[in-house]
Amino acid sequence: MKTNAKRSIRTSVFWGIVLIGAAVLLILNGIGVELGYGLSVWRILLGAVCLAWLVDTIVELRFTEIPFPLAFMFIVFEPTIAHALGREDNKLIPFWTVLLAALLMTIGLTALLPDRPGRKQLSKAVSTTLYFDDADLADAKINDNLGKVVAYITNTEAYEGGGRIAVYDNLGAVVLHIPSSWKVILKASSNLGKVTVPEQDDAACDKTITVDVTDNLGAVTVVFD
């Protein structure tokens, strides 16, 4: 699919730049060049990853996911920020307070912002059962906040492969039932959550489907039928 191809190219370009930058930073650190207070090579690399995560959420118009990359960027650079503000202990806010604030902001933004086209379900503290037809799988989406969603796929015989299901889970539980003859290509971003996909025998799979998961303190499980 064209959208996935463009995203793959963008991801490859970014990681190429990050790896080259990492090599330069390692050399500078090795010869004793000061990068700034508290700015070790590894903090800068982690910050670059968080920045890429932030840019990706903006480019993909997933604005409800912005709080978490910002939260992790703050955690990574907290000693530098605290030092700049004159804090002797180089600490500003407890780790868990930052993550809890990011989670609450994510849930709040999800409640306030309108649904994007193609979003199949917005579940808030309720149990919901969804049914996707093969035609839905070109770009199906599930969004779960504090609830439980169980999703099934119907008309599986007509499915030609190459589809995608995006799952956005905030402190909820999502169970996705998929035919055992379909190969699941998992792309997961988990923030203190759990994503479970059973092992598969590739030789027994004749079609593919991409499951793209963003999980914040929740649980996403794939079940093969």
Side-chain angles (χ1 to χ4, degrees):
M1 299 174 68
K2 291 184 179 179
T3 300
N4 289 339
K6 290 180 180 179
R7 186 173 183 178
S8 177
I9 292 172
R10 185 171 65 247
T11 300
S12 297
V13 170
F14 166 75
W15 282 112
I17 294 173
V18 168
L19 292 173
I20 292 172
V24 173
L25 289 173
L26 286 171
I27 292 172
L28 292 176
N29 186 67
I31 63 178
V33 175
E34 290 291 335
L35 302 176
Y37 182 85
L39 293 180
S40 66
V41 172
W42 305 114
R43 285 187 183 276
I44 292 176
L45 291 180
L46 287 173
V49 171
C50 292
L51 178 62
W53 180 11
L54 176 63
V55 171
D56 184 67
T57 59
I58 295 174
V59 170
E60 294 292 324
L61 303 180
R62 304 196 307 269
F63 299 117
T64 59
E65 300 175 31
I66 288 177
F68 269 99
L70 287 176
F72 281 105
M73 287 182 68
F74 175 82
I75 291 170
V76 169
F77 294 115
E78 184 179 14
T80 304
I81 297 172
H83 180 75
L85 295 176
R87 292 290 293 270
E88 295 182 359
D89 56 356
N90 296 330
K91 294 290 292 183
L92 293 173
I93 306 174
F95 175 85
W96 287 106
T97 301
V98 177
L99 292 182
L100 179 59
L103 176 62
L104 294 175
M105 289 179 66
T106 297
I107 296 173
L109 286 172
T110 302
L112 291 174
L113 295 178
D115 291 353
R116 291 175 53 196
R119 181 171 291 172
K120 298 300 179 181
Q121 176 66 29
L122 177 61
S123 174
K124 300 177 182 177
V126 295
S127 295
T128 305
T129 300
L130 300 178
Y131 295 92
F132 292 98
D133 187 82
D134 74 292
D136 296 326
L137 299 181
D139 194 21
K141 295 178 177 67
I142 300 172
N143 194 322
D144 178 32
N145 296 305
L146 296 171
K148 180 177 182 180
V149 173
V150 180
Y152 298 89
I153 299 172
T154 62
N155 196 22
T156 57
E157 297 80 4
Y159 178 66
E160 297 180 355
R164 173 178 177 268
I165 300 177
V167 180
Y168 305 100
D169 180 36
N170 300 307
L171 207 65
V174 176
V175 179
L176 183 57
H177 289 261
I178 292 178
S180 58
S181 61
W182 295 7
K183 173 62 179 178
V184 170
I185 301 173
L186 178 65
K187 296 182 179 179
S189 174
S190 179
N191 305 311
L192 301 178
K194 182 178 181 181
V195 181
T196 304
V197 179
E199 293 185 4
Q200 291 181 274
D201 180 4
D202 292 353
C205 300
D206 57 359
K207 300 174 183 178
T208 63
I209 185 167
T210 298
V211 178
D212 197 343
V213 178
T214 300
D215 183 24
N216 301 315
L217 293 172
V220 178
T221 304
V222 171
V223 176
F224 292 116
D225 297 325

